[in-house]
Amino acid sequence: MSATNTFIVGQCTRVRDSVFMKARAQSVDGTMRDLTHTAQTEFPPEGEIELKGARAFLKQDDWAIAKPVLDGPPRRQRWVSPTAKKLLPFEDLSGLAGPEAARRLLVEAGVQDSFVGEKIYRIGTGEMIMVKMVKCEDGRTRATAADMMRLPVYGFDASKVLAIPTPGGSISLMEKNHQSPELRLANWASDAQYVERIIRDALAGDDEEGKAKAAVAATLLAHAGRLEALLSGTGEPDPSVAQEISRSRRLGEVVTSRPALVEDFMKALRREPAIAARIDEEIARLTASTVDAKRAALTTELTASMEAEFAAVKRDRSAKLEAELREIENSSLQDLQAKLDAQQDSALSAIELRRSGLEKAVEQLQKSRDELDEAKRAKVEQIEALDADITRLSLDAVDRKADLDRLLRMEQVLQDAGDRSKAPAVQPQLLLMPLAVPSPSASPLAAGEISDWLKESQMLTDAGRHGVARLAALVLSGGVPIIDGPDADDVLDILASMLAGGAATMFDCDPTVISHEDLWRRPGGGEPTALGHALTDARLASTVRLCAIRRAELAPSQFWIDSLRRAGRQREFPRGFLLCVTRAGDESASESLSMSFRADGWLERTAGVAALMSDGDENFKRIVDLATVAPDPSAAMTLIGSAAVSIADARWLATFVPIAKEVLKGEAAAFAKEILESVSGGAKPNLKLIGNGGPSRA
């Protein structure tokens, strides 16, 4: 079906939303073959083809030509043609004695067959017409068209005729829109219509000679003479004009040989009910026209008379009204003038009194202004003296504060030296792995500025900024969140840059970590671990230490995580000791414990490049200032309500709620409710934050 010279010819069987055509023949490279018995096999299941957009011009039993293709999903494919063209039956009448013989057969005599509808006839060697065949009262079908007096005659091309083989014989069809050139216009009106037109043209003339030729026979012959004169004036004979001359002479001779024919014809016309009704209608129309003309004339005359009378009455009434108005106007103007004079006098008196009062008020205001100016000058002198005293006292206060800060730093240095002298000596081998030191250029970062720091970070996606903010709220309040996923170490690096000046202490789990105590001292020898050193340093130096317990999944038992969280909520760690746990397990592992975060899609693809670019930025590495947020028991009470929480959890929530408000801003309330559900023993909240706002580095 893909070849351009292949098409299907069929007959329409169903008309619904689309038209369905039964395949009857197929043309391949100009060869037509019958599909009557093989249509169901070649176009299953019914041998039909759906014609899209053909409902407007095709109906049942019409012939059509189409190029179908398979359409639809597998196992439900069907044959569909996006376009289709209508085919009309074709009959060759060129064997008759010229076009006039074909006209008399199709218009006057009619054909004895049952076909009704549009059909194409060949009427000459290179001419054809397209007419509509209708069945008449005598049972014969005759040709008709929109204008039979100007019937288009097209050029005939034998290659456009399709011979469709059928079991009963071959059927000739031709496309309705055959695109053949229009050669001329032929007068295929019936003989009665032809005679009527000639007589009407003769009667329509104004000259006496035309009216004298009103007789039918004389009119026909005169019409033929005029056509001959027209034909002789032209250079080359016109076949259509010659045909009309022959037709007029034949009809004129018939009427001339039978003089009583015209009189009988006129009597028969008058007895015809339709003609009589037409005459009555014409008489009624002429009568109605006369009545309407008379009515219009009377209406015009009466209207003119009434308008003249109305104008006279209007003039009289207008004169009387004008006189009355002048009289009323004179009297009213006198009364109004008297009232205006009285009101003007009273208004002037009131204005004079008010003016004198305002002058007195202005004098008093000027005196008050002078007094205020004098007081202002005195106050300005006092303010200048006070400003000088304030400046002097401020300078004294700055000097005193600097002295106090110096003394306090000396006292702190002496106290730290005394505390370190009392502390147990550090084993020499542990000094080989010193704790990470914050960047010297790190500046303090208030809790309320964390959201701004995250917005400026180019290493995190929107989901990553949201997740890191939640992690920061838990870590700063003493909670111990769990970070899952392969990007956990990168998230720790960002937390360290934001909270601890880029320094972080890592403790890697192994199978020897069984209990909570194994995190601080090595099993067996009892040497302090890196986590233990960081805890001691946070207690002695009161510094911020971010510590992470990595690869928690390597420990045989993870019950120590609950003990670690309980210790954080009970404030067993210094406030600057920030702690979290990481795991590299799959996503299902994060559902075993609450306050777990799955760090998927948190990092931008260019996070490494952004980190290198931010390394020299002074605002990149910061140290969190925990002194900016104080516990808020009232906010915790509002959150807890009637929930059943332990005493330690309630005290911890008093620290967590204000920190969450500073870090998370508008999202603090929803996150605090999730944490409350987690610590109150209810259903574990889904704290997994799987980002879809940006690309990950996985």
Side-chain angles (χ1 to χ4, degrees):
M1 286 299 166
S2 61
T4 56
N5 55 353
T6 300
F7 55 86
I8 300 297
V9 176
Q11 199 168 11
C12 299
T13 56
R14 293 182 296 157
V15 179
R16 295 179 182 173
D17 294 337
S18 299
V19 179
F20 292 86
M21 177 185 78
K22 183 78 171 183
R24 298 290 297 273
Q26 180 183 17
S27 174
V28 180
D29 295 333
T31 303
M32 191 76 67
R33 63 186 185 91
D34 187 12
L35 298 180
T36 304
H37 303 294
T38 61
Q40 294 182 352
T41 303
E42 298 192 24
F43 301 97
E46 301 294 335
E48 290 182 333
I49 299 169
E50 182 179 356
L51 306 180
K52 293 285 188 179
R55 187 178 181 183
F57 59 91
L58 288 177
K59 61 182 183 298
Q60 191 169 350
D61 296 331
D62 283 349
W63 288 87
I65 180 173
K67 293 184 178 183
V69 293
L70 282 173
D71 185 28
R75 299 185 180 180
R76 296 182 61 187
Q77 289 185 333
R78 53 199 176 91
W79 289 94
V80 176
S81 178
T83 59
K85 296 181 181 179
K86 185 176 181 179
L87 297 177
L88 299 180
F90 172 81
E91 186 174 347
D92 192 350
L93 298 180
S94 61
L96 299 178
E100 176 62 19
R103 186 197 69 81
R104 296 197 59 78
L105 173 64
L106 297 178
V107 177
E108 303 295 345
V111 293
Q112 191 69 34
D113 59 13
S114 58
F115 177 77
V116 175
E118 292 180 303
K119 193 170 183 179
I120 297 176
Y121 289 96
R122 182 182 180 186
I123 60 174
T125 305
E127 295 181 341
M128 65 180 182
I129 59 170
M130 183 174 67
V131 294
K132 183 177 181 180
M133 304 300 293
V134 297
K135 186 168 290 288
C136 300
E137 295 179 355
D138 58 357
R140 303 177 72 85
T141 56
R142 290 177 173 84
T144 183
D147 187 1
M148 291 293 286
M149 293 186 180
R150 297 176 59 85
L151 183 66
V153 178
Y154 301 97
F156 173 71
D157 187 357
S159 62
K160 296 181 180 180
V161 179
L162 300 177
I164 309 302
T166 63
S170 177
I171 299 177
S172 296
L173 301 174
M174 194 172 186
E175 184 181 336
K176 180 179 180 179
N177 299 323
H178 40 74
Q179 298 180 353
S180 297
E182 183 177 326
L183 303 180
R184 60 185 177 87
L185 295 175
N187 187 353
W188 273 45
S190 63
D191 290 344
Q193 293 173 341
Y194 186 80
V195 171
E196 179 183 2
R197 181 177 66 84
I198 296 175
I199 294 174
R200 285 181 183 273
D201 293 342
L203 292 175
D206 294 332
D207 56 335
E208 294 298 330
E209 183 181 359
K211 292 185 178 295
K213 296 178 181 179
V216 178
T219 301
L220 290 172
L221 295 175
H223 178 69
R226 285 196 298 271
L227 292 178
E228 286 179 351
L230 179 64
L231 185 63
S232 61
T234 59
E236 198 160 315
D238 188 350
S240 60
V241 176
Q243 180 180 345
E244 287 205 23
I245 292 172
S246 174
R247 187 177 179 184
S248 298
R249 286 195 177 280
R250 180 175 53 79
L251 292 176
E253 292 172 357
V254 171
V255 175
T256 303
S257 62
R258 299 175 62 183
L261 179 62
V262 176
E263 183 178 358
D264 295 339
F265 176 70
M266 298 304 296
K267 291 180 180 180
L269 283 178
R270 293 190 183 94
R271 288 195 300 271
E272 179 68 26
I275 302 299
R278 179 66 181 273
I279 294 173
D280 294 339
E281 289 178 1
E282 192 67 19
I283 293 172
R285 184 182 65 79
L286 295 174
T287 303
S289 301
T290 305
V291 171
D292 291 341
K294 188 65 175 176
R295 182 185 292 112
L298 291 175
T299 301
T300 304
E301 183 179 355
L302 290 175
T303 301
S305 176
M306 291 180 66
E307 287 179 352
E309 184 178 355
F310 179 74
V313 172
K314 183 178 179 182
R315 284 193 299 272
D316 295 340
R317 294 293 301 273
S318 297
K320 293 179 181 179
L321 288 174
E322 287 178 358
E324 293 177 357
L325 287 173
R326 281 194 297 270
E327 183 180 356
I328 294 171
E329 183 179 4
N330 293 330
S331 61
S332 299
L333 284 174
Q334 293 175 359
D335 295 339
L336 288 173
Q337 187 64 36
K339 291 180 181 179
L340 287 174
D341 293 340
Q343 290 179 359
Q344 184 177 2
D345 294 339
S346 61
L348 289 174
S349 301
I351 290 172
E352 185 66 24
L353 292 174
R354 188 174 180 184
R355 184 178 65 80
S356 60
L358 290 174
E359 288 177 351
K360 293 179 181 179
V362 168
E363 291 177 357
Q364 293 178 356
L365 289 174
Q366 288 177 350
K367 292 180 181 178
S368 300
R369 184 191 62 183
D370 296 338
E371 293 175 356
L372 290 173
D373 289 340
E374 187 64 28
K376 178 182 177 183
R377 283 192 293 271
K379 295 294 183 183
V380 167
E381 293 176 356
Q382 294 178 4
I383 291 172
E384 291 176 352
L386 291 174
D387 288 340
D389 293 340
I390 290 172
T391 303
R392 179 174 50 80
L393 292 174
S394 298
L395 294 175
D396 292 342
V398 171
D399 295 338
R400 299 293 181 270
K401 184 177 182 300
D403 295 339
L404 288 174
D405 290 341
R406 222 169 16 252
L407 292 174
L408 288 174
R409 284 197 295 271
M410 293 175 62
E411 182 181 1
Q412 184 66 34
V413 170
L414 293 174
Q415 183 180 357
D416 293 343
D419 292 340
R420 288 194 182 94
S421 63
K422 297 176 183 179
V426 180
Q427 296 182 8
Q429 62 271 23
L430 295 178
L431 296 177
L432 298 176
M433 295 295 292
L435 295 175
V437 179
S439 175
S441 62
S443 59
L445 176 69
E449 299 176 357
I450 289 179
S451 59
D452 296 333
W453 190 92
L454 290 174
K455 288 180 182 178
E456 295 177 359
S457 176
Q458 299 180 2
M459 296 181 290
L460 295 171
T461 63
D462 290 340
R465 296 184 182 96
H466 187 60
V468 171
R470 291 190 166 198
L471 284 174
L474 286 172
V475 169
L476 294 177
S477 62
V480 183
I482 300 176
I483 308 173
D484 290 326
D487 294 337
D489 289 342
D490 291 331
V491 174
L492 285 175
D493 185 82
I494 294 174
L495 280 174
S497 300
M498 182 177 66
L499 303 178
T505 302
M506 303 293 181
F507 175 79
D508 293 329
C509 288
D510 55 40
T512 62
V513 178
I514 299 175
S515 63
H516 175 257
E517 290 76 9
D518 295 335
L519 300 174
W520 319 105
R521 291 189 177 276
R522 295 289 182 184
E527 296 86 357
T529 62
L531 204 60
H533 281 302
L535 179 59
T536 301
D537 182 71
R539 284 175 175 169
L540 296 177
S542 299
T543 57
V544 175
R545 285 289 181 186
L546 177 64
C547 300
I549 303 173
R550 298 178 66 253
R551 302 300 301 274
E553 76 278 359
L554 298 179
S557 175
Q558 298 180 13
F559 293 111
W560 50 266
I561 296 179
D562 290 334
S563 301
L564 198 62
R565 286 178 172 167
R566 185 165 53 255
R569 289 197 290 267
Q570 292 178 353
R571 303 179 182 177
E572 294 182 6
F573 302 132
R575 193 173 185 187
F577 188 69
L578 311 179
L579 193 60
C580 61
V581 180
T582 67
R583 295 185 301 189
D586 55 6
E587 184 177 354
S588 61
S590 61
E591 300 178 358
S592 61
L593 292 173
S594 61
M595 289 191 288
S596 299
F597 295 81
R598 182 76 182 177
D600 282 347
W602 286 17
L603 299 178
E604 292 284 358
R605 295 186 182 276
T606 59
V609 177
L612 288 175
M613 294 175 63
S614 301
D615 194 33
D617 188 0
E618 295 181 357
N619 293 326
F620 179 63
K621 293 184 179 180
R622 309 291 288 273
I623 298 178
V624 68
D625 186 4
L626 297 175
T628 57
V629 182
D632 189 357
S634 60
M637 288 293 295
T638 304
L639 174 66
I640 293 173
S642 59
V645 296
S646 64
I647 297 175
D649 290 338
R651 291 174 177 170
W652 173 71
L653 288 173
T655 303
F656 166 72
V657 172
I659 291 178
K661 288 181 179 179
E662 290 291 331
V663 176
L664 297 176
K665 307 298 182 184
E667 300 179 1
F671 185 56
K673 288 181 180 180
E674 294 181 9
I675 295 300
L676 177 62
E677 293 178 2
S678 175
V679 301
S680 63
K684 295 177 182 179
N686 184 15
L687 297 182
K688 294 183 295 179
L689 190 62
I690 301 177
N692 55 1
S696 68
R697 296 195 304 172

